[in-house]
Amino acid sequence: MTHTHLPLALEPAHLGPQLDDAQIELALATAELIPGFIGQERAKSALAFAIGMDMPGYNLYVMGEPALGRFTLVQDVLQHAAAEKATANEWCYLNNFEDERVPNTLRLLPGDGRILVKKIEALIDELLDTFPAAFDNPGYQRKKKSIARQFDDRYEQAIERVEKIALEKQVVLYEDNGAVSFSPIIDGKPLDDSEFSKMTDEQRQYFYALVSELETVLNDALLELPRWKRELSENLRTLRNETIEQAIKPMLKQMEHDYSTELGVLKYLKEMRPHLVKAVLELLPDESDGEKQEEIDSREIFVEEFVPNVLVHHEAMAGAPIIFEPNPSYGNLFGRVEYNSSSGALYTNYRMIRPGALHKANGGYLILDADRLLSQAPVWDALKLALKSGEVVIDTLSEHAVTNSTIITPKAIPLNVKVVLLGSRDLYYLVQEVDEEFNELFRVLADFEHYLPYNEQTLSFMSRQIQLQMQQLNINQLTKCGLRQLLQFSFRQAEHQRKLSARFADVLELVREACFYAAQTESDILNESHVQQALQGKQHRTGRISEGFLEDIQEGQILIDTEGLAVGKINGLTVLEIGDTAFGTPARVSATVFAGSSGVIDIEREVELGKAIHSKGVLLLTGYLGAKYARKFPLTLSANIAMEQSYGHIDGDSASLAEVCALISAITDIPIKQSLAVTGSINQHGQVQAIGGVNEKIEGFFRLCQSRGLTGEQGVIIPASNQLNLVLRDEVIAAVQQQKFHIFVVKTVDEALGLLTGEETGELNRRGQYPKKSVNGRAMQRLAEIAELVNGSIDE
């Protein structure tokens, strides 16, 4: 059909980005992935600066919305920087033999932690193999028997002295299982109990007194027996102690030689020696009994007592660590102390200290989610304290002070870490305002752009990344039309004809969904139809609410006209954002004018449904009307403006162009075409300004007109400055191509009024008047009449 040019109407070529087929073919032919991250040069520069400033306080806040590639870029830059840095030292906790409630710290070179643990465990195994077998040594047994013999000799000599005295008194001494007893002798023969009972009372009393006397003598002779036993035990303990020390000495000497340059390890071995001897003395028997279970239990006790608790292991030459902690709770960030339960009480030791993200990232880089971190005030305060003090402390008192438990307070570990916070723009400015320490600790800001430049480099990068994603899903080829459709999606996400969206993750999500539809048809080629299926599928899944609005309009429950003329009524355009979806829908704006002096009343504001920006847009109307028409008389009128059938809060000034047109229609009684819908904000000089969501707004009105039948009269009026933001769907462009639907761009209110009324708006002449039959002339005349009616004439 013949294309007739309409004034201020856009051509189909203006409704979306114009893609070069040669560029797309070149991008598809890219075989290798372009190194580096495309775009975000400002953020890259900030990252490089923060990493290079190896000084306290130069931590980094990465500003931007999710899916902009923040984490990918940060990780990529940090990996290159970490590879050039020295591997971080390892830190471990040791048993503090002087005070077990305050475990000591030990710094080791990378990789030495595992070696030290293995050597001490080998030492323990060697001890268990040596003892109690070492006590079976003939030399030890001989010395032990000698000590025992000394005790026995003393005891026997004392018993012999008592026995000699007893025999002199005709009493025999018996010793049975360490118990000493006496029995009378008659005619050279000891009496038994039956014979003793046959004796007279006098004889029995005599022997009772004699035995009592002998027991006194026995007690006097054995008065030193406790001391002899104590000396026996002490001598045996000294013997065991000397035997253990002699066996342990060569084992520790070898370890001391291995760690001759590590003063911390040498100090620990020195402190450990007497306690190791004591543990062997107390835990291991001096006779081999062959009970394996006891040996296993003893080993566990030795391990819990002497083996270091290495918090983090690092491989030599691995570079600085990079740790991302997705859930920065206190325990996950600063570490924790675990507890076991025994007999209703909690107990712990240095071996049950667990590292946090700060321990793991010490000497390197820690990446945190700012929103999750700052929502926990105690954790944020503790992190600031750690960064300022340069040490990480595991706080156990606040958590377990009121429980029936053993409390340990591990010593602090020196901290050297670069913290990277990933957060939103609003959060950054909020924290800056309320926290004075924030700028002191996070001096560097990496600001991520929302857009990527559309050039050959970006196009090739996106093409290769898309193809890599497809290969993971077993789809081998991407067609030119398929890539064009994906680029169209990215342009639409950016709402710009010359820039791509930096939310590349959304493009990859669409690729995955399109590959699903390609796989359903058993195709290994991704083309335009698969991408469109994915877009339509998502629209269908999330489109219930938008379809409900359209049905309400079709059924007449929401009053929207798409043909005819009406005074004081106009179709405005709105965007509703629900979750991750946004859609446009028309809304009727109406205005009434009558004689009075109350001014322009915004009904939405009066009922507290209009938010600040919307109310501001309505208030600008008074300034525009006064400057436009009432330079020679006072602006006096009463007018009401309302967004009809809106029951929720309204924000934004994008309806102010529609409102001023409806108001002028009501003032002049000139009807407005209901086949056109309007969006745009205005200033007090009548200039039309850009608004957001222009694509969704146009398509929302288009769907309504399409459902009722396109007449060729319908269309949308948008600000001229929004032309660059047009990335419309193919069906809208096709309708414009066929002149069934129109998109007009305006720069002033007069241009919009001319399109809506079909009449001349009129220009101000030298005398300060508008043509009488023009829209502006009739508006000025009507406002003058109302002013005279309300205020009276100047003569009066």
Side-chain angles (χ1 to χ4, degrees):
M1 60 180 297
T2 305
H3 192 281
T4 305
H5 178 71
L6 297 175
L8 305 179
L10 293 178
E11 299 293 331
H14 299 151
L15 305 182
Q18 301 303 303
L19 303 180
D20 186 353
D21 287 343
Q23 275 190 334
I24 293 178
E25 290 175 357
L26 181 63
L28 286 172
T30 303
E32 297 297 330
L33 180 63
I34 300 171
F37 192 92
I38 300 300
Q40 306 297 356
E41 298 303 325
R42 189 192 308 272
K44 288 179 187 176
S45 174
L47 280 166
F49 175 76
I51 292 170
M53 290 294 292
D54 195 11
M55 298 174 63
Y58 283 89
N59 298 296
L60 180 68
Y61 187 98
V62 179
M63 176 196 291
E65 301 306 318
L68 293 179
R70 297 177 305 171
F71 184 78
T72 303
L73 177 58
V74 167
Q75 197 173 41
D76 184 50
V77 173
L78 291 184
Q79 282 175 349
H80 284 87
E84 298 176 358
K85 288 189 69 174
T87 306
N89 290 321
E90 297 180 349
W91 285 92
C92 57
Y93 277 107
L94 306 172
N95 192 0
N96 186 347
F97 299 107
E98 299 298 325
D99 185 0
E100 293 185 351
R101 294 175 181 269
V102 187
N104 288 323
T105 60
L106 175 64
R107 178 168 57 188
L108 297 170
L109 294 175
D112 283 0
R114 284 191 176 93
I115 297 173
L116 180 60
V117 168
K118 287 180 179 179
K119 287 189 175 182
I120 293 183
E121 287 179 344
L123 172 66
I124 292 172
D125 291 334
E126 193 172 353
L127 280 176
L128 294 175
D129 292 338
T130 303
F131 299 98
F135 297 130
D136 295 334
N137 185 281
Y140 171 80
Q141 291 295 331
R142 183 171 62 254
K143 292 178 182 178
K144 180 180 178 183
K145 289 177 181 179
S146 175
I147 294 171
R149 191 181 304 114
Q150 291 176 8
F151 172 80
D152 292 341
D153 289 345
R154 286 181 176 181
Y155 181 79
E156 291 296 334
Q157 290 173 6
I159 293 297
E160 285 177 2
R161 287 195 301 269
V162 176
E163 186 177 21
K164 184 177 180 181
I165 296 171
L167 289 174
E168 291 174 354
K169 296 180 180 293
Q170 297 298 308
V171 176
V172 67
L173 183 147
Y174 287 101
E175 186 177 5
D176 184 20
N177 293 329
V180 178
S181 60
F182 297 94
S183 177
I185 300 176
I186 301 297
D187 298 331
K189 178 183 176 183
L191 298 180
D192 58 19
D193 290 344
S194 60
E195 292 174 337
F196 184 75
S197 63
K198 294 176 181 180
M199 299 178 67
T200 64
D201 289 342
E202 293 180 358
Q203 291 175 321
R204 286 199 299 270
Q205 288 300 325
Y206 169 76
F207 280 111
Y208 281 145
L210 186 60
V211 169
S212 177
E213 180 184 346
L214 289 172
E215 286 177 347
T216 301
V217 173
L218 177 65
N219 288 336
D220 291 340
L222 297 179
L223 188 63
E224 299 293 323
L225 182 62
R227 183 175 64 83
W228 299 341
K229 288 187 175 181
R230 186 167 59 252
E231 290 177 356
L232 172 65
S233 298
E234 289 176 355
N235 291 335
L236 288 174
R237 186 179 296 107
T238 301
L239 176 61
R240 293 188 69 200
N241 198 64
E242 291 174 351
T243 304
I244 294 168
E245 285 185 342
Q246 284 183 341
I248 289 177
K249 187 176 181 180
M251 304 178 194
L252 290 176
K253 188 174 182 180
Q254 181 60 45
M255 288 193 65
E256 289 171 353
H257 179 268
D258 294 341
Y259 289 96
S260 58
T261 59
E262 295 287 343
L263 297 180
V265 179
L266 290 177
K267 180 182 177 183
Y268 177 61
L269 293 176
K270 182 179 179 181
E271 294 174 351
M272 183 176 70
R273 181 192 295 268
H275 296 276
L276 195 61
V277 172
K278 181 181 176 182
V280 174
L281 191 65
E282 294 177 352
L283 296 174
L284 299 181
D286 61 355
E287 300 289 344
S288 298
D289 53 13
E291 293 186 13
K292 196 68 175 177
Q293 183 61 39
E294 291 187 6
E295 181 181 325
I296 295 174
D297 293 341
S298 299
R299 187 182 192 282
E300 291 179 357
I301 295 173
F302 275 96
V303 168
E304 292 296 314
E305 187 82 8
F306 301 106
V307 175
N309 175 16
V310 182
L311 293 180
V312 183
H313 294 281
H314 295 299
E315 298 295 335
M317 307 301 292
I322 302 171
I323 303 298
F324 171 61
E325 177 51 60
N327 180 24
S329 63
Y330 188 91
N332 289 347
L333 205 55
F334 292 90
R336 60 175 63 85
V337 178
E338 295 180 348
Y339 285 76
N340 281 335
S341 177
S342 177
S343 303
L346 299 176
Y347 72 92
T348 188
N349 62 18
Y350 77 101
R351 294 272 302 167
M352 301 175 74
I353 300 172
R354 299 292 176 258
L358 281 171
H359 298 100
K360 298 174 184 176
N362 200 2
Y365 307 95
L366 176 61
I367 306 172
L368 298 172
D369 185 286
D371 294 272
R372 292 179 181 272
L373 174 65
L374 293 168
S375 64
Q376 306 174 77
V379 181
W380 171 241
D381 290 338
L383 177 62
K384 290 190 296 183
L385 181 61
L387 293 176
K388 291 177 71 174
S389 64
E391 57 184 24
V392 54
V393 180
I394 301 177
D395 180 13
T396 58
L397 294 177
S398 61
E399 189 175 354
H400 299 287
V402 296
T403 63
N404 182 22
S405 63
T406 302
I407 303 296
I408 65 173
T409 54
K411 289 186 178 180
I413 291 178
L415 180 65
N416 177 24
V417 67
K418 185 82 69 176
V419 179
V420 179
L421 293 183
L422 305 179
S424 64
R425 190 177 303 274
D426 293 340
L427 182 62
Y428 175 77
Y429 294 121
L430 175 63
V431 179
Q432 254 194 342
E433 182 178 348
V434 301
D435 194 331
E436 296 178 355
E437 296 175 308
F438 180 74
N439 284 336
E440 179 184 344
L441 295 172
F442 291 85
R443 300 176 187 271
V444 185
L445 170 66
D447 192 355
F448 270 66
E449 301 284 352
H450 292 279
Y451 308 105
L452 292 177
Y454 178 64
N455 52 37
E456 291 184 5
Q457 186 183 30
T458 305
L459 193 56
S460 298
F461 172 81
M462 290 183 65
S463 171
R464 186 59 183 153
Q465 291 284 9
I466 290 169
Q467 292 180 72
L468 287 174
Q469 180 72 68
M470 290 167 50
Q471 289 172 11
Q472 295 176 10
L473 300 171
N474 299 319
I475 304 297
N476 299 323
Q477 184 180 345
L478 176 64
T479 66
K480 184 170 66 174
C481 293
L483 179 57
R484 178 187 289 271
Q485 194 71 34
L486 291 169
L487 291 172
Q488 194 84 1
F489 172 79
S490 185
F491 279 117
R492 185 176 174 90
Q493 290 289 93
E495 289 191 343
H496 204 286
Q497 294 182 359
R498 299 174 190 167
K499 296 178 182 178
L500 293 165
S501 171
R503 293 175 58 92
F504 188 61
D506 292 343
V507 177
L508 294 181
E509 178 185 345
L510 178 61
V511 171
R512 289 190 290 271
E513 294 176 7
C515 287
F516 167 78
Y517 291 103
Q520 282 191 328
T521 60
E522 298 183 355
S523 172
D524 63 348
I525 299 175
L526 189 69
N527 57 37
E528 180 182 16
S529 63
H530 299 135
V531 179
Q532 288 179 341
Q533 274 185 286
L535 290 170
Q536 291 168 3
K538 185 169 185 177
Q539 174 64 31
H540 178 71
R541 293 191 299 272
T542 61
R544 185 186 64 81
I545 298 177
S546 62
E547 291 175 5
F549 270 93
L550 184 59
E551 289 177 3
D552 289 343
I553 296 173
Q554 292 287 54
E555 294 170 359
Q557 296 183 30
I558 297 178
L559 301 178
I560 300 291
D561 294 331
T562 54
E563 58 184 7
L565 302 171
V567 174
K569 297 177 184 178
I570 193 171
N571 292 325
L573 296 174
T574 62
V575 170
L576 297 180
E577 295 184 4
I578 302 174
D580 62 344
T581 62
F583 61 91
T585 182
R588 176 179 285 179
V589 178
S590 63
T592 57
V593 176
F594 50 92
S597 58
S598 56
V600 179
I601 295 176
D602 176 15
I603 293 177
E604 308 299 330
R605 186 178 68 171
E606 295 298 317
V607 298
E608 298 183 352
L609 285 179
K611 292 189 177 181
I613 298 178
H614 176 264
S615 299
K616 175 186 175 183
V618 176
L619 291 174
L620 289 174
L621 300 185
T622 304
Y624 171 72
L625 292 177
K628 183 79 171 179
Y629 303 117
R631 295 185 178 184
K632 296 182 179 180
F633 57 86
L635 180 64
T636 307
L637 82 162
S638 290
N640 292 330
I641 295 178
M643 188 82 70
E644 293 186 0
Q645 292 183 286
S646 66
Y647 307 104
H649 290 286
I650 298 173
D651 200 10
D653 59 353
S654 64
S656 56
L657 175 59
E659 289 166 341
V660 74
C661 291
L663 184 59
I664 292 174
S665 171
I667 291 172
T668 61
D669 284 331
I670 298 176
I672 286 176
K673 297 177 183 178
Q674 301 300 296
S675 58
L676 297 178
V678 181
T679 184
S681 69
I682 65 167
N683 60 23
Q684 295 185 82
H685 299 285
Q687 295 173 311
V688 180
Q689 303 166 139
I691 45 83
V694 64
N695 294 296
E696 288 80 5
K697 290 177 178 179
I698 293 172
E699 289 166 358
F701 188 66
F702 173 79
R703 282 195 300 271
L704 173 61
C705 296
Q706 187 182 44
S707 65
R708 290 180 172 178
L710 296 174
T711 62
E713 299 294 327
Q714 297 141 334
V716 171
I717 299 173
I718 65 171
S721 52
N722 275 124
Q723 179 180 335
L724 197 62
N725 305 116
L726 293 179
V727 188
L728 294 170
R729 300 189 188 277
D730 292 341
E731 57 181 347
V732 181
I733 297 176
V736 173
Q737 177 70 39
Q738 299 169 12
Q739 292 197 337
K740 294 182 178 179
F741 194 77
H742 307 284
I743 297 173
F744 302 95
V745 291
V746 296
K747 295 180 180 179
T748 63
V749 173
D750 283 352
E751 289 180 346
L753 283 171
L755 290 170
L756 289 166
T757 61
E759 298 189 12
E760 180 186 354
T761 55
E763 294 184 5
L764 198 66
N765 58 27
R766 293 179 180 178
R767 294 178 298 169
Q769 299 291 328
Y770 292 102
K772 289 185 177 181
K773 293 185 179 180
S774 68
V775 175
N776 288 330
R778 295 166 66 176
M780 179 180 285
Q781 181 181 356
R782 177 59 178 156
L783 288 172
E785 291 173 356
I786 294 175
E788 184 176 352
L789 182 63
V790 174
N791 301 320
S793 66
I794 296 177
D795 296 337
E796 293 174 346

